[in-house]
mmCIF file of all heavy atoms in Angstrom:
data_model
loop_
_atom_site.group_PDB
_atom_site.id
_atom_site.type_symbol
_atom_site.label_atom_id
_atom_site.label_comp_id
_atom_site.label_asym_id
_atom_site.label_seq_id
_atom_site.Cartn_x
_atom_site.Cartn_y
_atom_site.Cartn_z
ATOM 1 N N LEU E 27 -0.205 14.995 7.842
ATOM 2 C CA LEU E 27 1.069 14.332 8.039
ATOM 3 C C LEU E 27 0.875 12.934 8.642
ATOM 4 O O LEU E 27 1.608 12.012 8.310
ATOM 5 C CB LEU E 27 1.988 15.179 8.934
ATOM 6 C CG LEU E 27 2.549 16.414 8.291
ATOM 7 C CD1 LEU E 27 3.245 17.280 9.323
ATOM 8 C CD2 LEU E 27 3.467 16.058 7.142
ATOM 9 N N GLY E 28 -0.110 12.780 9.505
ATOM 10 C CA GLY E 28 -0.393 11.465 10.073
ATOM 11 C C GLY E 28 -0.854 10.469 9.040
ATOM 12 O O GLY E 28 -0.527 9.285 9.083
ATOM 13 N N ILE E 29 -1.589 10.953 8.054
ATOM 14 C CA ILE E 29 -2.098 10.084 7.002
ATOM 15 C C ILE E 29 -0.993 9.707 6.028
ATOM 16 O O ILE E 29 -0.786 8.530 5.747
ATOM 17 C CB ILE E 29 -3.260 10.772 6.256
ATOM 18 C CG1 ILE E 29 -4.479 10.902 7.209
ATOM 19 C CG2 ILE E 29 -3.650 9.983 5.006
ATOM 20 C CD1 ILE E 29 -5.508 11.857 6.710
ATOM 21 N N VAL E 30 -0.296 10.694 5.538
ATOM 22 C CA VAL E 30 0.707 10.398 4.504
ATOM 23 C C VAL E 30 2.067 10.004 5.078
ATOM 24 O O VAL E 30 2.933 9.539 4.348
ATOM 25 C CB VAL E 30 0.881 11.576 3.514
ATOM 26 C CG1 VAL E 30 -0.398 11.878 2.829
ATOM 27 C CG2 VAL E 30 1.428 12.802 4.240
ATOM 28 N N GLY E 31 2.232 10.169 6.360
ATOM 29 C CA GLY E 31 3.517 9.878 6.993
ATOM 30 C C GLY E 31 3.623 8.506 7.605
ATOM 31 O O GLY E 31 4.688 8.152 8.135
ATOM 32 N N ASP E 32 2.556 7.741 7.592
ATOM 33 C CA ASP E 32 2.676 6.410 8.180
ATOM 34 C C ASP E 32 3.440 5.491 7.228
ATOM 35 O O ASP E 32 3.506 5.700 6.023
ATOM 36 C CB ASP E 32 1.301 5.824 8.559
ATOM 37 C CG ASP E 32 0.544 5.295 7.390
ATOM 38 O OD1 ASP E 32 -0.213 6.057 6.764
ATOM 39 O OD2 ASP E 32 0.703 4.108 7.082
ATOM 40 N N LYS E 33 4.043 4.445 7.786
ATOM 41 C CA LYS E 33 4.933 3.591 6.992
ATOM 42 C C LYS E 33 4.229 2.936 5.810
ATOM 43 O O LYS E 33 4.820 2.791 4.758
ATOM 44 C CB LYS E 33 5.592 2.552 7.871
ATOM 45 C CG LYS E 33 4.637 1.553 8.502
ATOM 46 C CD LYS E 33 5.375 0.588 9.388
ATOM 47 C CE LYS E 33 4.418 -0.342 10.089
ATOM 48 N NZ LYS E 33 5.106 -1.266 10.979
ATOM 49 N N TRP E 34 2.979 2.510 6.011
ATOM 50 C CA TRP E 34 2.314 1.815 4.898
ATOM 51 C C TRP E 34 2.038 2.755 3.728
ATOM 52 O O TRP E 34 2.229 2.386 2.560
ATOM 53 C CB TRP E 34 1.043 1.119 5.367
ATOM 54 C CG TRP E 34 1.266 0.126 6.458
ATOM 55 C CD1 TRP E 34 0.657 0.097 7.680
ATOM 56 C CD2 TRP E 34 2.136 -1.005 6.440
ATOM 57 N NE1 TRP E 34 1.105 -0.967 8.415
ATOM 58 C CE2 TRP E 34 2.040 -1.653 7.696
ATOM 59 C CE3 TRP E 34 3.039 -1.528 5.511
ATOM 60 C CZ2 TRP E 34 2.733 -2.816 8.002
ATOM 61 C CZ3 TRP E 34 3.755 -2.672 5.836
ATOM 62 C CH2 TRP E 34 3.609 -3.302 7.069
ATOM 63 N N SER E 35 1.572 3.955 4.032
ATOM 64 C CA SER E 35 1.262 4.890 2.952
ATOM 65 C C SER E 35 2.482 5.212 2.110
ATOM 66 O O SER E 35 2.424 5.207 0.883
ATOM 67 C CB SER E 35 0.706 6.199 3.537
ATOM 68 O OG SER E 35 -0.553 5.990 4.128
ATOM 69 N N LEU E 36 3.612 5.468 2.783
ATOM 70 C CA LEU E 36 4.807 5.815 2.044
ATOM 71 C C LEU E 36 5.312 4.642 1.206
ATOM 72 O O LEU E 36 5.780 4.847 0.065
ATOM 73 C CB LEU E 36 5.888 6.309 2.972
ATOM 74 C CG LEU E 36 5.627 7.644 3.667
ATOM 75 C CD1 LEU E 36 6.796 8.049 4.527
ATOM 76 C CD2 LEU E 36 5.325 8.730 2.624
ATOM 77 N N LEU E 37 5.215 3.436 1.713
ATOM 78 C CA LEU E 37 5.637 2.276 0.952
ATOM 79 C C LEU E 37 4.722 2.031 -0.261
ATOM 80 O O LEU E 37 5.186 1.644 -1.337
ATOM 81 C CB LEU E 37 5.722 1.043 1.844
ATOM 82 C CG LEU E 37 6.828 1.108 2.902
ATOM 83 C CD1 LEU E 37 6.709 -0.075 3.863
ATOM 84 C CD2 LEU E 37 8.208 1.141 2.236
ATOM 85 N N ILE E 38 3.437 2.262 -0.079
ATOM 86 C CA ILE E 38 2.498 2.112 -1.187
ATOM 87 C C ILE E 38 2.772 3.170 -2.256
ATOM 88 O O ILE E 38 2.849 2.870 -3.442
ATOM 89 C CB ILE E 38 1.046 2.170 -0.674
ATOM 90 C CG1 ILE E 38 0.715 0.914 0.110
ATOM 91 C CG2 ILE E 38 0.057 2.363 -1.852
ATOM 92 C CD1 ILE E 38 -0.569 0.974 0.906
ATOM 93 N N VAL E 39 2.952 4.415 -1.829
ATOM 94 C CA VAL E 39 3.256 5.507 -2.769
ATOM 95 C C VAL E 39 4.537 5.192 -3.504
ATOM 96 O O VAL E 39 4.615 5.405 -4.726
ATOM 97 C CB VAL E 39 3.309 6.859 -2.023
ATOM 98 C CG1 VAL E 39 3.929 7.942 -2.916
ATOM 99 C CG2 VAL E 39 1.917 7.286 -1.556
ATOM 100 N N ARG E 40 5.514 4.680 -2.809
ATOM 101 C CA ARG E 40 6.796 4.343 -3.452
ATOM 102 C C ARG E 40 6.578 3.277 -4.543
ATOM 103 O O ARG E 40 7.122 3.387 -5.649
ATOM 104 C CB ARG E 40 7.783 3.826 -2.416
ATOM 105 C CG ARG E 40 9.141 3.489 -3.011
ATOM 106 C CD ARG E 40 10.088 3.072 -1.922
ATOM 107 N NE ARG E 40 11.437 2.992 -2.478
ATOM 108 C CZ ARG E 40 12.295 2.062 -2.158
ATOM 109 N NH1 ARG E 40 11.980 1.133 -1.290
ATOM 110 N NH2 ARG E 40 13.482 2.041 -2.664
ATOM 111 N N ASN E 41 5.780 2.262 -4.258
ATOM 112 C CA ASN E 41 5.517 1.224 -5.242
ATOM 113 C C ASN E 41 4.682 1.708 -6.420
ATOM 114 O O ASN E 41 4.908 1.282 -7.543
ATOM 115 C CB ASN E 41 4.826 0.016 -4.554
ATOM 116 C CG ASN E 41 5.824 -0.894 -3.903
ATOM 117 O OD1 ASN E 41 6.454 -1.674 -4.576
ATOM 118 N ND2 ASN E 41 6.002 -0.745 -2.619
ATOM 119 N N LEU E 42 3.790 2.630 -6.160
ATOM 120 C CA LEU E 42 2.967 3.152 -7.243
ATOM 121 C C LEU E 42 3.728 4.162 -8.106
ATOM 122 O O LEU E 42 3.257 4.490 -9.185
ATOM 123 C CB LEU E 42 1.675 3.794 -6.673
ATOM 124 C CG LEU E 42 0.671 2.828 -6.104
ATOM 125 C CD1 LEU E 42 -0.487 3.585 -5.484
ATOM 126 C CD2 LEU E 42 0.173 1.852 -7.158
ATOM 127 N N SER E 43 4.870 4.611 -7.687
ATOM 128 C CA SER E 43 5.649 5.532 -8.492
ATOM 129 C C SER E 43 6.151 4.859 -9.765
ATOM 130 O O SER E 43 6.501 5.546 -10.725
ATOM 131 C CB SER E 43 6.833 6.096 -7.678
ATOM 132 O OG SER E 43 7.783 5.080 -7.439
ATOM 133 N N GLN E 44 6.141 3.537 -9.787
ATOM 134 C CA GLN E 44 6.584 2.799 -10.961
ATOM 135 C C GLN E 44 5.442 2.560 -11.946
ATOM 136 O O GLN E 44 5.615 1.901 -12.960
ATOM 137 C CB GLN E 44 7.188 1.469 -10.515
ATOM 138 C CG GLN E 44 8.363 1.647 -9.585
ATOM 139 C CD GLN E 44 8.710 0.399 -8.820
ATOM 140 O OE1 GLN E 44 8.219 -0.678 -9.111
ATOM 141 N NE2 GLN E 44 9.559 0.548 -7.806
ATOM 142 N N GLY E 45 4.251 3.061 -11.636
ATOM 143 C CA GLY E 45 3.101 2.908 -12.500
ATOM 144 C C GLY E 45 1.960 2.218 -11.783
ATOM 145 O O GLY E 45 2.066 1.837 -10.625
ATOM 146 N N PRO E 46 0.829 2.049 -12.473
ATOM 147 C CA PRO E 46 -0.360 1.439 -11.856
ATOM 148 C C PRO E 46 -0.059 0.025 -11.377
ATOM 149 O O PRO E 46 0.735 -0.698 -11.992
ATOM 150 C CB PRO E 46 -1.376 1.402 -12.989
ATOM 151 C CG PRO E 46 -0.906 2.363 -14.011
ATOM 152 C CD PRO E 46 0.588 2.432 -13.857
ATOM 153 N N ARG E 47 -0.680 -0.352 -10.264
ATOM 154 C CA ARG E 47 -0.507 -1.688 -9.685
ATOM 155 C C ARG E 47 -1.864 -2.222 -9.264
ATOM 156 O O ARG E 47 -2.716 -1.475 -8.822
ATOM 157 C CB ARG E 47 0.421 -1.655 -8.473
ATOM 158 C CG ARG E 47 1.836 -1.196 -8.726
ATOM 159 C CD ARG E 47 2.628 -2.325 -9.369
ATOM 160 N NE ARG E 47 4.000 -1.965 -9.556
ATOM 161 C CZ ARG E 47 4.527 -1.543 -10.681
ATOM 162 N NH1 ARG E 47 3.787 -1.426 -11.757
ATOM 163 N NH2 ARG E 47 5.801 -1.259 -10.766
ATOM 164 N N ARG E 48 -1.977 -3.527 -9.323
ATOM 165 C CA ARG E 48 -3.163 -4.210 -8.824
ATOM 166 C C ARG E 48 -2.953 -4.479 -7.336
ATOM 167 O O ARG E 48 -1.827 -4.463 -6.824
ATOM 168 C CB ARG E 48 -3.406 -5.492 -9.589
ATOM 169 C CG ARG E 48 -3.759 -5.185 -11.057
ATOM 170 C CD ARG E 48 -4.121 -6.412 -11.798
ATOM 171 N NE ARG E 48 -5.359 -6.957 -11.290
ATOM 172 C CZ ARG E 48 -5.963 -8.027 -11.791
ATOM 173 N NH1 ARG E 48 -5.417 -8.660 -12.821
ATOM 174 N NH2 ARG E 48 -7.100 -8.484 -11.286
ATOM 175 N N PHE E 49 -4.036 -4.775 -6.654
ATOM 176 C CA PHE E 49 -4.001 -5.045 -5.209
ATOM 177 C C PHE E 49 -2.999 -6.141 -4.875
ATOM 178 O O PHE E 49 -2.163 -5.988 -3.972
ATOM 179 C CB PHE E 49 -5.405 -5.434 -4.723
ATOM 180 C CG PHE E 49 -5.506 -5.609 -3.238
ATOM 181 C CD1 PHE E 49 -5.894 -4.549 -2.422
ATOM 182 C CD2 PHE E 49 -5.253 -6.847 -2.660
ATOM 183 C CE1 PHE E 49 -5.988 -4.720 -1.053
ATOM 184 C CE2 PHE E 49 -5.345 -7.016 -1.291
ATOM 185 C CZ PHE E 49 -5.718 -5.942 -0.478
ATOM 186 N N THR E 50 -3.061 -7.249 -5.613
ATOM 187 C CA THR E 50 -2.165 -8.357 -5.301
ATOM 188 C C THR E 50 -0.714 -8.010 -5.538
ATOM 189 O O THR E 50 0.164 -8.481 -4.812
ATOM 190 C CB THR E 50 -2.546 -9.605 -6.134
ATOM 191 O OG1 THR E 50 -2.575 -9.251 -7.528
ATOM 192 C CG2 THR E 50 -3.887 -10.175 -5.728
ATOM 193 N N GLU E 51 -0.437 -7.180 -6.506
ATOM 194 C CA GLU E 51 0.940 -6.728 -6.749
ATOM 195 C C GLU E 51 1.448 -5.902 -5.586
ATOM 196 O O GLU E 51 2.591 -6.055 -5.131
ATOM 197 C CB GLU E 51 1.032 -5.929 -8.055
ATOM 198 C CG GLU E 51 0.808 -6.731 -9.297
ATOM 199 C CD GLU E 51 0.753 -5.839 -10.547
ATOM 200 O OE1 GLU E 51 -0.042 -4.883 -10.574
ATOM 201 O OE2 GLU E 51 1.519 -6.138 -11.467
ATOM 202 N N LEU E 52 0.584 -4.997 -5.098
ATOM 203 C CA LEU E 52 0.966 -4.181 -3.943
ATOM 204 C C LEU E 52 1.153 -5.041 -2.712
ATOM 205 O O LEU E 52 2.079 -4.834 -1.930
ATOM 206 C CB LEU E 52 -0.097 -3.106 -3.685
ATOM 207 C CG LEU E 52 -0.132 -1.964 -4.717
ATOM 208 C CD1 LEU E 52 -1.380 -1.117 -4.518
ATOM 209 C CD2 LEU E 52 1.132 -1.133 -4.619
ATOM 210 N N LYS E 53 0.283 -6.007 -2.530
ATOM 211 C CA LYS E 53 0.388 -6.922 -1.350
ATOM 212 C C LYS E 53 1.719 -7.644 -1.341
ATOM 213 O O LYS E 53 2.354 -7.753 -0.308
ATOM 214 C CB LYS E 53 -0.799 -7.899 -1.374
ATOM 215 C CG LYS E 53 -0.776 -8.950 -0.280
ATOM 216 C CD LYS E 53 -1.177 -8.352 1.068
ATOM 217 C CE LYS E 53 -1.268 -9.390 2.148
ATOM 218 N NZ LYS E 53 0.009 -9.754 2.741
ATOM 219 N N ARG E 54 2.134 -8.119 -2.499
ATOM 220 C CA ARG E 54 3.421 -8.796 -2.602
ATOM 221 C C ARG E 54 4.609 -7.846 -2.400
ATOM 222 O O ARG E 54 5.620 -8.203 -1.817
ATOM 223 C CB ARG E 54 3.567 -9.488 -3.959
ATOM 224 C CG ARG E 54 2.893 -10.839 -4.062
ATOM 225 C CD ARG E 54 3.314 -11.571 -5.312
ATOM 226 N NE ARG E 54 3.008 -10.830 -6.548
ATOM 227 C CZ ARG E 54 1.890 -10.995 -7.262
ATOM 228 N NH1 ARG E 54 0.987 -11.873 -6.903
ATOM 229 N NH2 ARG E 54 1.698 -10.286 -8.354
ATOM 230 N N ALA E 55 4.472 -6.615 -2.897
ATOM 231 C CA ALA E 55 5.576 -5.655 -2.866
ATOM 232 C C ALA E 55 5.803 -5.016 -1.494
ATOM 233 O O ALA E 55 6.912 -4.649 -1.150
ATOM 234 C CB ALA E 55 5.347 -4.576 -3.896
ATOM 235 N N VAL E 56 4.731 -4.902 -0.708
ATOM 236 C CA VAL E 56 4.835 -4.235 0.600
ATOM 237 C C VAL E 56 4.905 -5.302 1.669
ATOM 238 O O VAL E 56 3.911 -5.795 2.157
ATOM 239 C CB VAL E 56 3.643 -3.270 0.829
ATOM 240 C CG1 VAL E 56 3.767 -2.575 2.168
ATOM 241 C CG2 VAL E 56 3.563 -2.237 -0.301
ATOM 242 N N ASP E 57 6.128 -5.651 2.023
ATOM 243 C CA ASP E 57 6.401 -6.734 2.963
ATOM 244 C C ASP E 57 5.768 -6.440 4.338
ATOM 245 O O ASP E 57 5.966 -5.379 4.897
ATOM 246 C CB ASP E 57 7.908 -6.911 3.112
ATOM 247 C CG ASP E 57 8.262 -8.157 3.912
ATOM 248 O OD1 ASP E 57 7.568 -9.185 3.764
ATOM 249 O OD2 ASP E 57 9.215 -8.072 4.716
ATOM 250 N N GLY E 58 4.994 -7.420 4.815
ATOM 251 C CA GLY E 58 4.454 -7.333 6.170
ATOM 252 C C GLY E 58 3.078 -6.714 6.289
ATOM 253 O O GLY E 58 2.488 -6.732 7.339
ATOM 254 N N ILE E 59 2.544 -6.147 5.218
ATOM 255 C CA ILE E 59 1.223 -5.523 5.309
ATOM 256 C C ILE E 59 0.127 -6.589 5.166
ATOM 257 O O ILE E 59 0.235 -7.502 4.335
ATOM 258 C CB ILE E 59 1.061 -4.406 4.252
ATOM 259 C CG1 ILE E 59 -0.165 -3.530 4.566
ATOM 260 C CG2 ILE E 59 0.970 -4.970 2.831
ATOM 261 C CD1 ILE E 59 -0.248 -2.238 3.792
ATOM 262 N N SER E 60 -0.885 -6.488 5.990
ATOM 263 C CA SER E 60 -2.016 -7.414 5.899
ATOM 264 C C SER E 60 -2.988 -6.932 4.807
ATOM 265 O O SER E 60 -2.947 -5.776 4.403
ATOM 266 C CB SER E 60 -2.760 -7.513 7.239
ATOM 267 O OG SER E 60 -3.405 -6.262 7.502
ATOM 268 N N LYS E 61 -3.845 -7.845 4.362
ATOM 269 C CA LYS E 61 -4.841 -7.461 3.355
ATOM 270 C C LYS E 61 -5.739 -6.344 3.878
ATOM 271 O O LYS E 61 -6.022 -5.388 3.162
ATOM 272 C CB LYS E 61 -5.705 -8.656 2.974
ATOM 273 C CG LYS E 61 -5.019 -9.645 2.083
ATOM 274 C CD LYS E 61 -5.962 -10.778 1.694
ATOM 275 C CE LYS E 61 -5.272 -11.761 0.778
ATOM 276 N NZ LYS E 61 -6.177 -12.851 0.350
ATOM 277 N N ARG E 62 -6.143 -6.462 5.127
ATOM 278 C CA ARG E 62 -7.009 -5.446 5.719
ATOM 279 C C ARG E 62 -6.312 -4.088 5.790
ATOM 280 O O ARG E 62 -6.888 -3.062 5.438
ATOM 281 C CB ARG E 62 -7.450 -5.874 7.120
ATOM 282 C CG ARG E 62 -8.405 -4.871 7.757
ATOM 283 C CD ARG E 62 -8.768 -5.241 9.179
ATOM 284 N NE ARG E 62 -9.615 -4.412 9.933
ATOM 285 C CZ ARG E 62 -9.754 -3.118 9.890
ATOM 286 N NH1 ARG E 62 -9.117 -2.395 9.062
ATOM 287 N NH2 ARG E 62 -10.582 -2.449 10.701
ATOM 288 N N MET E 63 -5.058 -4.073 6.217
ATOM 289 C CA MET E 63 -4.322 -2.801 6.343
ATOM 290 C C MET E 63 -4.075 -2.196 4.954
ATOM 291 O O MET E 63 -4.159 -0.980 4.772
ATOM 292 C CB MET E 63 -2.998 -2.996 7.077
ATOM 293 C CG MET E 63 -2.249 -1.694 7.320
ATOM 294 S SD MET E 63 -3.204 -0.383 8.114
ATOM 295 C CE MET E 63 -3.459 -1.077 9.729
ATOM 296 N N LEU E 64 -3.793 -3.040 3.987
ATOM 297 C CA LEU E 64 -3.616 -2.540 2.623
ATOM 298 C C LEU E 64 -4.912 -1.913 2.103
ATOM 299 O O LEU E 64 -4.905 -0.809 1.564
ATOM 300 C CB LEU E 64 -3.160 -3.655 1.692
ATOM 301 C CG LEU E 64 -2.951 -3.281 0.221
ATOM 302 C CD1 LEU E 64 -1.944 -2.114 0.071
ATOM 303 C CD2 LEU E 64 -2.464 -4.501 -0.576
ATOM 304 N N THR E 65 -6.039 -2.583 2.365
ATOM 305 C CA THR E 65 -7.336 -2.058 1.929
ATOM 306 C C THR E 65 -7.636 -0.701 2.596
ATOM 307 O O THR E 65 -7.992 0.257 1.928
ATOM 308 C CB THR E 65 -8.466 -3.062 2.275
ATOM 309 O OG1 THR E 65 -8.211 -4.272 1.571
ATOM 310 C CG2 THR E 65 -9.830 -2.505 1.918
ATOM 311 N N VAL E 66 -7.417 -0.626 3.895
ATOM 312 C CA VAL E 66 -7.693 0.610 4.648
ATOM 313 C C VAL E 66 -6.784 1.743 4.151
ATOM 314 O O VAL E 66 -7.248 2.873 3.917
ATOM 315 C CB VAL E 66 -7.489 0.374 6.161
ATOM 316 C CG1 VAL E 66 -7.451 1.671 6.933
ATOM 317 C CG2 VAL E 66 -8.583 -0.539 6.710
ATOM 318 N N THR E 67 -5.513 1.424 3.949
ATOM 319 C CA THR E 67 -4.569 2.447 3.530
ATOM 320 C C THR E 67 -4.885 2.937 2.109
ATOM 321 O O THR E 67 -4.832 4.144 1.840
ATOM 322 C CB THR E 67 -3.125 1.926 3.629
ATOM 323 O OG1 THR E 67 -2.877 1.464 4.964
ATOM 324 C CG2 THR E 67 -2.111 3.008 3.287
ATOM 325 N N LEU E 68 -5.210 2.002 1.207
ATOM 326 C CA LEU E 68 -5.578 2.406 -0.156
ATOM 327 C C LEU E 68 -6.814 3.293 -0.146
ATOM 328 O O LEU E 68 -6.858 4.302 -0.865
ATOM 329 C CB LEU E 68 -5.806 1.166 -1.023
ATOM 330 C CG LEU E 68 -4.534 0.393 -1.399
ATOM 331 C CD1 LEU E 68 -4.920 -0.964 -2.034
ATOM 332 C CD2 LEU E 68 -3.642 1.190 -2.314
ATOM 333 N N ARG E 69 -7.796 2.976 0.661
ATOM 334 C CA ARG E 69 -9.024 3.799 0.734
ATOM 335 C C ARG E 69 -8.672 5.185 1.275
ATOM 336 O O ARG E 69 -9.189 6.187 0.765
ATOM 337 C CB ARG E 69 -10.050 3.117 1.653
ATOM 338 C CG ARG E 69 -10.732 1.956 0.990
ATOM 339 C CD ARG E 69 -11.782 1.354 1.898
ATOM 340 N NE ARG E 69 -12.375 0.171 1.251
ATOM 341 C CZ ARG E 69 -12.991 -0.766 1.895
ATOM 342 N NH1 ARG E 69 -13.159 -0.714 3.211
ATOM 343 N NH2 ARG E 69 -13.517 -1.796 1.236
ATOM 344 N N ASP E 70 -7.844 5.258 2.300
ATOM 345 C CA ASP E 70 -7.463 6.548 2.863
ATOM 346 C C ASP E 70 -6.727 7.398 1.833
ATOM 347 O O ASP E 70 -6.976 8.591 1.692
ATOM 348 C CB ASP E 70 -6.584 6.380 4.104
ATOM 349 C CG ASP E 70 -7.369 5.871 5.315
ATOM 350 O OD1 ASP E 70 -8.634 5.917 5.307
ATOM 351 O OD2 ASP E 70 -6.706 5.437 6.278
ATOM 352 N N LEU E 71 -5.778 6.785 1.112
ATOM 353 C CA LEU E 71 -5.010 7.508 0.086
ATOM 354 C C LEU E 71 -5.923 7.962 -1.070
ATOM 355 O O LEU E 71 -5.739 9.043 -1.617
ATOM 356 C CB LEU E 71 -3.866 6.666 -0.413
ATOM 357 C CG LEU E 71 -2.737 6.412 0.605
ATOM 358 C CD1 LEU E 71 -1.763 5.356 0.059
ATOM 359 C CD2 LEU E 71 -2.036 7.692 0.965
#
């Protein structure tokens, strides 16, 4: 629950529900996430 329940994971999963996305597309779509946090969250997921 800690992994999948954090705000970044849920926002990424929400964006990926529309189909495959590239890193830069996710970065633009998830307001406020840093490149490092996006990288870490994607690796965890």
Side-chain angles (χ1 to χ4, degrees):
L27 288 171
I29 293 165
V30 300
D32 78 270
K33 64 182 176 182
W34 301 125
S35 293
L36 292 182
L37 292 172
I38 290 167
V39 167
R40 182 176 190 219
N41 277 281
L42 289 176
S43 69
Q44 301 163 12
R47 297 283 184 261
R48 295 185 67 178
F49 185 93
T50 54
E51 292 174 305
L52 288 169
K53 176 75 175 81
R54 278 192 302 265
V56 181
D57 188 38
I59 194 167
S60 68
K61 285 183 179 182
R62 182 184 178 329
M63 184 53 67
L64 179 56
T65 299
V66 167
T67 305
L68 288 169
R69 285 182 184 159
D70 288 345
L71 291 171

